[in-house]
Amino acid sequence: DAKTTQPPSMDCAEGRAANLPCNHSTISGNEYVYWYRQIHSQGPQYIIHGLKNNETNEMASLIITEDRKSSTLILPHATLRDTAVYYCIVRVAKSFGGSSNTGKLIFGQGTTLQVKP
Amino acid sequence: KAGVTQTPRYLIKTRGQQVTLSCSPISGHRSVSWYQQTPGQGLQFLFEYFSETQRNKGNFPGRFSGRQFSNSRSEMNVSTLELGDSALYLCASSFWTGSTSGANVLTFGAGSRLTVL
């Protein structure tokens, strides 16, 4: 699985958009980009994923550059409840034909996002 | 639908004891993965089970073991507890069709916090 690089921390004003960057310069063509977040002392929560195209759901938007070497998670209107550690993970979708990494995620240190009033 | 349920939520053990943690996945999810989270090492993959078989294993000593039952519920066991085993143990489940394409999203439980004295 490709290695990711994220800034250790970021601040965002409440109500403003939070843009969290992630570099994954060694990503392969079949590797997905996933974002999870972890609010203090809770289990990680899935946010969004993408392969090539930009994606949007009720929680966030994911912008992937054309060369796929980096991406940005956008929380359009950050609230205090969005304060958390955000993890960017890239991994390949594999079948259970033999060895499989489908349940294995390699978490880095993530970005601690502090939303301030 | 109900999420991933982990029991117990908190427990305290002493060095040398053993502990068993339980995980009930989301109904219909057949893949269960376990993670250990400590302040020093972050989130680390322990192992993954699918159809009662261990499919993948992280870099942990043999004191850490697990199993999965026919109803997809899973348990993990840590024997001969050490102080360094104090951690948040997280279970995640996913619905995997075996397809070679598509993404695979993990849903995490709230975790079991183990303190070893």
Side-chain angles (χ1 to χ4, degrees):
Chain A
D1 293 338
K3 179 180 172 61
T4 63
T5 303
Q6 299 177 252
S9 63
M10 294 183 63
D11 289 341
C12 177
E14 187 178 20
R16 303 297 294 270
N19 298 297
L20 292 90
C22 179
N23 280 314
H24 30 79
S25 58
T26 60
I27 193 170
S28 301
N30 62 347
E31 288 187 311
Y32 285 77
V33 179
Y34 293 79
W35 283 83
Y36 286 79
R37 73 180 182 183
Q38 187 174 26
I39 297 170
H40 184 62
S41 295
Q42 297 181 20
Q45 176 190 26
Y46 164 79
I47 301 172
I48 198 167
H49 72 275
L51 184 61
K52 296 180 181 178
N53 300 320
N54 298 336
E55 302 288 344
T56 296
N57 63 21
E58 64 278 4
M59 290 184 67
S61 295
L62 174 61
I63 308 298
I64 302 174
T65 58
E66 191 170 344
D67 63 8
R68 303 187 68 242
K69 293 183 184 300
S70 66
S71 61
T72 301
L73 177 73
I74 301 173
L75 307 178
H77 305 287
T79 71
L80 298 179
R81 290 182 298 177
D82 292 321
T83 292
V85 179
Y86 287 77
Y87 297 98
C88 169
I89 301 163
V90 296
R91 57 189 297 269
V92 61
K94 289 183 179 178
S95 71
F96 277 112
S99 172
S100 168
N101 291 330
T102 60
K104 179 180 179 181
L105 298 178
I106 299 175
F107 288 85
Q109 295 304 307
T111 296
T112 298
L113 175 68
Q114 181 72 48
V115 180
K116 299 183 175 181
Chain B
K1 55 184 177 181
V4 178
T5 304
Q6 293 189 245
T7 57
R9 288 294 313 280
Y10 302 91
L11 66 166
I12 299 174
K13 294 285 187 179
T14 57
R15 282 182 299 174
Q17 288 187 311
Q18 66 92 25
V19 66
T20 298
L21 307 178
S22 179
C23 172
S24 294
I26 290 174
S27 178
H29 285 194
R30 297 170 61 193
S31 174
V32 174
S33 303
W34 288 90
Y35 290 79
Q36 181 197 64
Q37 185 172 29
T38 60
Q41 299 298 318
L43 275 155
Q44 293 185 289
F45 172 78
L46 280 159
F47 27 65
E48 174 189 12
Y49 287 87
F50 180 82
S51 292
E52 304 177 63
T53 302
Q54 188 180 90
R55 299 288 177 161
N56 210 341
K57 190 177 189 303
N59 188 26
F60 279 82
R63 299 185 297 107
F64 292 81
S65 63
R67 59 177 175 169
Q68 186 181 34
F69 303 95
S70 58
N71 61 358
S72 294
R73 190 177 70 85
S74 178
E75 289 181 347
M76 68 162 286
N77 183 275
V78 187
S79 62
T80 319
L81 284 166
E82 302 176 359
L83 295 179
D85 296 333
S86 294
L88 179 67
Y89 290 88
L90 292 156
C91 167
S93 74
S94 67
F95 177 78
W96 185 249
T97 64
S99 170
T100 55
S101 63
N104 187 31
V105 173
L106 302 189
T107 302
F108 285 82
S112 293
R113 184 166 295 282
L114 170 67
T115 300
V116 182
L117 302 177

